Amino acid sequence: MEKANFGVMGLGVMGKMLALNMERNGFRVAGYDLDLEKVQAFSAESATKNLIACQTLEAFLSTLELPRRILMMVPAGKPVDGAIASIKPHLSKGDLLIDGGNTYFPDTERRSKELEAAGIIYIGTGVSGGEQGALWGPSIMPGGQPEAWELVKPIFEAIASKVGAVPGVSPGEPCVAYMGPRGAGHYVKMVHNGIEYGDMQLIAEAYDILHRGLGLSNAQLGEVFGEWNRGELESYLIEITADIFTKNDPETGAAVVDLILDEAAQKGTGKWTSQNALDLGAPIPTINAAVESRIISAYKEERVAASQVLTGPEPRIAGDPQAIINAVRDALFAAKICSYAQGFGLLRMASKEYDYNLNYGEIAKIWRGGCIIRARFLNDIRAAFARTPDLANLMVDAEFAKMMNARQASLRKVVALAAESGIPALAFSSALAYYDAYRSARLPANLTQAQRDYFGAHTYRRIDREGSFHTEWQ
C-alpha cells in the first residue's frame, strides 16, 4: 500500500476537516481515533478520497512514510499528554509530533523540551478559523524547532487560507508562518484569542448601545453592520454579526438573537491571556474587560435579582440617530485599535521574556485570512510594523496616530452616552482609559508611590535627581 504523507490523530470535527483539506490539496492522509465510530465515518470518506482509516495505533503508524508527521487534534491538557504517552514508545528519532489544539503555551514549552531530549521533533501550532476554516483554509501559527517547520511547511502552506489569490494569476499569500521556538505558536494563538475576546465584546457593546439605547430594530442593526462591513470595519466578526440579525427562529418567528440567553461561555484562552499579561506586567485592559464581561454575564440570576433593587437611568439615548450610529462606528474602530495595540504590546513583551523573536508584521499577515479576527485593517498593522519593526505601541505609528486622533472624540462621546443611559460598556471605557493613560506625560502614580513609601518605606525616585529616596512622613 502507498504510504500516507501525513497522519491525523483525533478525528473530531477539526481533525477530520483538516484531513479533508490536506487530501483536497494533494496529500495522502491517514486518520486514527480511539472512537471507532469516528474512524468508521472517516473510512466512509476514504471510499472516494485519498484517505486511509486506521482502527489501531499500530496500523496508523505503519501506514505513515518516514519521517512520520503526525497531527494530534485532541482536547488540551491531560488528553494531549495521554496521546503523547501512547505514541512516543513507537516513534523513531526524527519523527514529528504536532499539537494542533488550543494548548496553554507553558505545556507546549514542557513537552517540546521533553520530546526534543528523546529525539522527537515537536510543534505546538495554533489553528484558527473553526470548522469551515479547517476545511477550506485556516490561519496556522506553528512554533517549534526550525527543522520541524521545514517538515510541515509545504503541507501547511497548501492548506492555509490564501489572501490576495486570483485564479490563474496569483496563488495569494498563505496565512501561515513560522512563529518561533518551543511554545511560540501556541502563545501567538492565545493572544489571537484574547484579541478576539476584545473584538467580540466591543461589538456586543456597540449592539447594546444601538439596540437598547437608540432603539434600533434587528433589521436596522443588520443594515448598519452590513454597511460597516463595507468600510474600514470590514472583518469576519462584523460580517457574521450582520448575518445574525437577519436570522429568525422557524418555530416562533422571533429573531434568534433575542431568544438566546445573555450568558456568554468561554474556554479559557482569554483568561490565559489576562493571566499571562499580569505575569509580564503588560497592560491589556480592553481584553481583560472582555474576559470580565463574560464572567459577569454568567451571574444571570443575581443580575435579575439586582435589577429589582438597584436603580439607574433608563437606557434611552436621545439625539440624531444617524449621528449616533456614526459616532458608535468611529468609537468601535478607535477602541479596536486600542485593543490590538494592547495585544501586540503583550506579544512584544513576551517575545523578549521567552526569547521567541516574534515577527509582528508576519503575525498581522497571517491573521488577515482564515482566522476569527481577520479584518481589513490588519493590512495597516502589517504596514506599521514594516515601517518600524520594533514599534513600541501601535497607536504611536504615524498612520494609526492619525486614525486615533480623528476618532477619539467619538470614543469619548459613546462612553459618555453609555454611562448617562446606564448601559455597561466595560470594553469601550477601558479602551478610552488606556488611550488617555498612554498619552499622558504624567500620571497620578507619584501619589501612589508616596503612599507606598509612607506605609512601607518602599522608597521612590525623584524627577530632579537620580537614586532612590525615602521620606520620614510622620
Side-chain angles (χ1 to χ4, degrees):
M1 180 186 294
E2 181 185 354
K3 295 284 186 178
N5 310 120
F6 205 90
V8 177
M9 186 177 182
L11 298 174
V13 172
M14 290 292 287
K16 181 180 177 181
M17 293 302 154
L18 286 167
L20 292 173
N21 188 345
M22 292 177 199
E23 190 275 340
R24 190 180 67 252
N25 280 282
F27 300 99
R28 186 169 173 81
V29 184
Y32 167 70
D33 199 294
L34 290 173
D35 186 339
L36 286 180
E37 288 188 6
K38 292 178 181 176
V39 176
Q40 289 166 358
F42 192 75
S43 180
E45 295 278 0
S46 69
T48 57
K49 295 182 175 66
N50 202 11
L51 303 170
I52 306 171
C54 302
Q55 295 193 0
T56 67
L57 182 61
E58 292 74 15
F60 176 66
L61 291 168
S62 65
T63 299
L64 299 172
E65 66 183 12
L66 299 178
R68 301 180 182 93
R69 292 173 287 192
I70 301 169
L71 172 64
M72 298 180 295
M73 294 301 296
V74 299
K78 292 183 179 179
V80 177
D81 287 319
I84 292 173
S86 69
I87 202 169
K88 182 180 174 182
H90 308 286
L91 298 178
S92 305
K93 286 190 176 183
D95 285 347
L96 169 64
L97 274 181
I98 307 161
D99 175 9
N102 269 334
T103 289
Y104 192 30
F105 80 98
D107 290 338
T108 304
E109 294 273 338
R110 168 179 57 82
R111 293 168 185 146
S112 180
K113 293 172 184 175
E114 291 173 353
L115 289 165
E116 188 172 11
I120 307 300
I121 304 172
Y122 191 68
I123 285 180
T125 188
V127 179
S128 178
E131 177 182 349
Q132 290 304 306
L135 179 60
W136 297 108
S139 175
I140 311 176
M141 296 151 256
Q145 300 99 320
E147 61 268 30
W149 165 237
E150 293 303 320
L151 281 172
V152 297
K153 184 178 179 181
I155 296 175
F156 279 6
E157 287 187 340
I159 69 171
S161 177
K162 309 296 188 300
V163 173
V166 179
V169 178
S170 170
E173 290 185 297
C175 292
V176 58
Y178 175 64
M179 295 289 98
R182 307 179 313 280
H186 276 140
Y187 190 93
V188 172
K189 177 57 164 58
M190 178 189 77
V191 176
H192 164 283
N193 284 25
I195 293 172
E196 176 186 311
Y197 273 52
D199 264 359
M200 294 175 71
Q201 182 61 29
L202 287 167
I203 292 170
E205 290 177 7
Y207 152 66
D208 203 17
I209 291 166
L210 296 177
H211 183 54
R212 258 202 314 158
L214 196 56
L216 296 191
S217 67
N218 288 315
Q220 290 171 318
L221 287 165
E223 292 177 2
V224 167
F225 277 86
E227 181 182 344
W228 287 359
N229 196 51
R230 292 187 287 274
E232 62 190 8
L233 283 169
E234 180 187 350
S235 65
Y236 173 71
L237 285 170
I238 294 291
E239 177 187 352
I240 68 169
T241 301
D243 285 346
I244 285 168
F245 290 124
T246 66
K247 187 70 174 180
N248 291 326
D249 177 50
E251 294 181 10
T252 65
V256 174
V257 70
D258 292 338
L259 298 175
I260 298 173
L261 185 68
D262 57 319
E263 191 174 318
Q266 54 182 319
K267 292 186 176 180
T269 47
K271 180 184 72 173
W272 294 343
T273 308
S274 294
Q275 290 173 330
N276 181 253
L278 288 172
D279 290 339
L280 293 180
I284 57 166
T286 307
I287 295 171
N288 293 341
V291 175
E292 291 162 359
S293 294
R294 293 200 188 189
I295 292 170
I296 201 169
S297 77
Y299 287 72
K300 176 64 175 179
E301 291 184 8
E302 291 185 30
R303 289 189 290 111
V304 171
S307 71
Q308 304 302 310
V309 296
L310 300 178
T311 62
E314 284 295 314
R316 293 290 180 267
I317 296 174
D320 176 15
Q322 190 57 54
I324 293 168
I325 290 170
N326 292 343
V328 173
R329 177 199 62 209
D330 289 346
L332 180 56
F333 191 68
K336 185 183 179 79
I337 292 172
C338 292
S339 183
Y340 278 68
Q342 295 163 32
F344 275 94
L346 175 57
L347 288 171
R348 185 169 178 264
M349 294 189 71
S351 184
K352 294 177 181 177
E353 178 70 18
Y354 306 126
D355 295 322
Y356 285 158
N357 194 29
L358 298 176
N359 184 319
Y360 315 112
E362 282 285 280
I363 293 170
K365 184 190 82 170
I366 68 170
W367 285 351
R368 294 178 304 155
C371 69
I372 303 302
I373 66 170
R374 59 185 184 266
R376 178 195 292 188
F377 99 130
L378 281 159
N379 287 309
D380 300 319
I381 294 178
R382 183 187 185 188
F385 284 110
R387 288 188 290 270
T388 312
D390 198 30
L391 184 65
N393 188 293
L394 192 61
M395 296 189 299
V396 300
D397 170 75
E399 294 303 314
F400 275 96
K402 290 178 185 176
M403 296 179 197
M404 286 302 303
N405 291 338
R407 294 166 180 79
Q408 56 90 21
S410 291
L411 182 54
R412 294 183 195 286
K413 179 177 181 178
V414 167
V415 170
L417 286 172
E420 289 170 355
S421 56
I423 295 174
L426 277 73
F428 273 120
S429 300
S430 69
L432 177 59
Y434 173 77
Y435 171 75
D436 282 337
Y438 195 77
R439 71 179 186 86
S440 293
R442 186 168 174 84
L443 292 169
N446 54 318
L447 178 58
T448 303
Q449 200 61 16
Q451 291 170 330
R452 295 183 72 244
D453 189 58
Y454 190 112
F455 64 68
H458 292 294
T459 74
Y460 54 84
R461 295 169 59 199
R462 292 174 62 115
I463 62 174
D464 58 350
R465 67 190 71 166
E466 294 296 321
S468 296
F469 299 87
H470 168 64
T471 293
E472 294 296 335
W473 296 95
Q474 291 179 305

